[in-house]
């Protein structure tokens, strides 16, 4: 009983709003210290203090994970956000010396813990992950369009502009550059000096790849986030309904008890 009571106390602490705000503050503070370490002058003057603050933040993160594991036990590993936090903090615990020196740069990944701590960020990421299947289909469609356009442009413009369309690989890279809107007028102008009607190809390609297909990505993400928001609302309504049912049951039980007491106080004939 004592252990269960202690676990409940730790659970209340871990799930409290104040504790979450404290962790957010530590993450932001740790991000500031990591940013200051990128300055050679500041690092030379205050390197020891910054390293001590960094280790202190890491110790707080480790204690937080241990507290969650103590509270949730096996259920700790069923939450994907807990696994994300465990991975990010685990990377920081790897000794950054010798062949692992490159892992020192990965300490900044701890800042990403804001995603798992802030509920609004979790909803955004969940929406993006839910949109992955639809985005994969659109990416495949976009790849098909770029491939077809790459073959066409190589056959039509390889002799006119070999630096941009000399072979399929070069054409695909050029078309990717055109799709992003980077310097495409110069590329089109260079081709149109030899092929005046080439503007038709570039206009159609940009309309299809940039304005049509890329906007589909936005539509899929927005739709997935709307579904995520709808699910959250339904879950919240279910919780409120359950809480209301419990409250109604308690009220009915009290009314029955009061009725029984009143009946007991009535004089018998």
């Amino acid at each position: 009983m004592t252990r269960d009571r202690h676990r409940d106390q730790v659970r209340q602490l871990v799930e409290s709003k104040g504790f979450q705000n404290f962790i957010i503050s530590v993450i932001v503070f740790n991000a500031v210290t990591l940013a200051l370490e990128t300055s050679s002058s500041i690092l030379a003057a205050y390197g020891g203090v910054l390293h001590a603050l960094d280790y202190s933040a890491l110790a707080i993160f480790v204690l937080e994970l241990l507290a969650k594991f103590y509270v949730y036990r096996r259920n700790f590993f069923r939450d994907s956000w807990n696994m994300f936090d465990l991975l990010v903090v685990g990377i920081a615990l790897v000794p950054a010396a010798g062949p692992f020196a490159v892992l020192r740069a990965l300490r900044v990944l701890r800042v990403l813990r804001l995603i798992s701590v802030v509920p609004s960020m979790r909803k955004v990421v969940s929406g993006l992950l839910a949109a992955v299947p639809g985005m994969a289909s659109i990416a495949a469609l976009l790849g098909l369009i770029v491939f077809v356009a790459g073959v066409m442009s190589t056959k039509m413009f390889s002799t006119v502009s070999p630096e941009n369309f000399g072979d399929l690989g070069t054409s695909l890279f050029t078309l990717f550059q055109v799709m992003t809107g980077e310097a495409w007028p110069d590329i089109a102008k260079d081709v149109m000096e030899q092929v005046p009607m080439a503007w038709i190809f570039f206009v159609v390609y940009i309309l299809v790849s940039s304005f049509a297909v890329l906007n589909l990505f936005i539509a899929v993400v927005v739709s997935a986030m709307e579904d995520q928001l709808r699910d959250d609302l339904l879950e919240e309504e279910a919780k409120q309904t359950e809480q209301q049912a419990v409250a109604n049951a308690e009220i009915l039980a009290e009314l029955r008890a009061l009725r029984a007491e009143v009946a007991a106080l009535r004089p018998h004939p």
Side-chain angles (χ1 to χ4, degrees):
M1 294 296 294
T2 304
R3 181 177 299 179
D4 293 338
R5 188 181 303 110
H6 184 262
R7 183 174 286 109
D8 290 337
Q9 292 175 352
V10 177
R11 183 194 301 274
Q12 293 177 2
L13 174 63
V14 170
E15 296 178 352
S16 64
K17 188 66 176 179
F19 183 80
Q20 296 298 322
N21 291 335
F22 170 72
I23 294 299
I24 292 175
S25 302
V26 174
I27 294 173
V28 174
F29 180 76
N30 192 210
V32 174
T33 60
L34 291 172
L36 292 176
E37 289 183 12
T38 60
S39 173
S40 57
S41 58
I42 296 178
L43 187 62
Y46 305 101
V49 176
L50 292 176
H51 291 325
L53 294 175
D54 182 61
Y55 291 139
S56 299
L58 179 60
I60 293 174
F61 296 148
V62 172
L63 291 175
E64 179 202 4
L65 290 177
L66 290 176
K68 287 185 175 181
F69 182 75
Y70 173 72
V71 169
Y72 303 118
R73 290 177 287 186
R74 293 182 180 179
N75 292 330
F76 175 88
F77 300 101
R78 297 179 180 177
D79 190 338
S80 57
W81 291 113
N82 287 338
M83 298 305 297
F84 173 78
D85 293 341
L86 183 62
L87 175 63
V88 171
V89 176
I91 291 175
L93 293 176
V94 177
F100 299 101
V102 68
L103 294 179
R104 289 187 61 85
L106 298 181
R107 291 181 302 163
V108 73
L109 292 177
R110 276 177 276 170
V111 182
L112 295 177
R113 288 206 59 210
L114 277 176
I115 298 174
S116 63
V117 176
V118 180
S120 58
M121 289 187 180
R122 287 204 304 264
K123 293 179 181 179
V124 172
V125 175
S126 298
L128 290 175
L129 293 177
V132 168
M135 293 174 64
S137 300
I138 298 174
L141 174 62
L142 181 60
L144 182 62
I145 292 174
V146 173
F147 174 77
V148 172
V151 174
M152 292 176 59
S153 61
T154 302
K155 291 182 176 294
M156 292 187 297
F157 310 134
S158 59
T159 57
V160 176
S161 181
E163 66 276 9
N164 293 319
F165 301 99
D167 52 65
L168 181 59
T170 304
S171 298
L172 292 176
F173 180 79
T174 301
L175 291 175
F176 179 80
Q177 186 178 2
V178 171
M179 181 180 65
T180 61
E182 177 67 24
W184 79 267
D186 297 333
I187 297 174
K189 183 179 180 180
D190 183 51
V191 175
M192 289 172 60
E193 289 178 355
Q194 302 294 328
V195 185
M197 299 300 293
W199 65 270
I200 299 176
F201 171 84
F202 288 102
V203 170
V204 172
Y205 173 75
I206 291 174
L207 287 175
V208 173
S209 62
S210 298
F211 294 97
V213 177
L214 292 182
N215 283 335
L216 287 176
F217 281 100
I218 300 176
V220 169
V221 172
V222 171
S223 177
M225 295 187 68
E226 288 180 348
D227 294 339
Q228 182 70 26
L229 179 59
R230 188 183 305 110
D231 294 338
D232 292 340
L233 291 176
L234 292 175
E235 183 179 356
E236 186 66 24
E237 290 179 358
K239 289 182 179 179
Q240 292 179 357
T241 302
E242 183 179 357
Q243 293 175 356
Q244 187 64 37
V246 173
N248 292 338
E250 292 177 353
I251 293 174
L252 289 175
E254 291 178 359
L255 289 175
R256 292 191 185 97
L258 289 174
R259 183 179 300 176
E261 292 177 1
V262 171
L265 294 174
R266 290 177 181 175
H268 295 285

